[in-house]
Amino acid sequence: MKLIIVDRSKFATYQRLLDKFSDDLNVRVIWDRRKNQIRQRAVPHTPERRSGDRRRLAKPWNGKDYIVINAVVERRREGVG
């Protein structure tokens, strides 16, 4: 499955990609949902267990309006578990 994340300020790009992949069940087009830094504390909790900012995309925008991520979808088998 491909996940296409579109910069929230690029409506025309979002609409174009949505139209282009509307019939493709293996592609999902979504907005970048990140807005602002949520954390309010200037001083982190101790001890800090996180190794980095989890909201940062691993792939940079590089001047593009969107990012394509190849996602692995694990399907549960019926009758297992």
Side-chain angles (χ1 to χ4, degrees):
M1 176 175 189
K2 288 187 190 271
L3 183 63
I4 302 176
I5 303 172
V6 181
D7 181 331
R8 66 183 318 112
S9 67
K10 308 295 182 183
F11 180 77
T13 301
Y14 177 80
Q15 193 61 51
R16 179 175 47 85
L17 291 169
L18 207 57
D19 291 343
K20 181 176 182 176
F21 295 107
S22 64
D23 294 335
D24 192 336
L25 299 177
N26 292 314
V27 177
R28 185 166 173 216
V29 180
I30 64 170
W31 289 109
D32 179 15
R33 298 184 302 186
R34 298 167 300 157
K35 291 181 184 176
N36 296 322
Q37 179 69 277
I38 295 173
R39 297 181 195 146
Q40 300 296 321
R41 291 181 173 224
V43 178
H45 291 280
T46 54
E48 180 62 49
R49 296 179 305 225
R50 296 184 205 127
S51 62
D53 189 352
R54 294 173 295 171
R55 289 180 297 268
R56 184 176 303 157
L57 282 173
K59 295 174 84 173
W61 291 102
N62 286 340
K64 296 182 181 179
D65 295 348
Y66 62 92
I67 295 172
V68 179
I69 297 175
N70 292 313
V72 176
V73 178
E74 188 173 310
R75 297 179 189 214
R76 286 183 38 178
R77 293 185 294 185
E78 303 253 349
V80 175

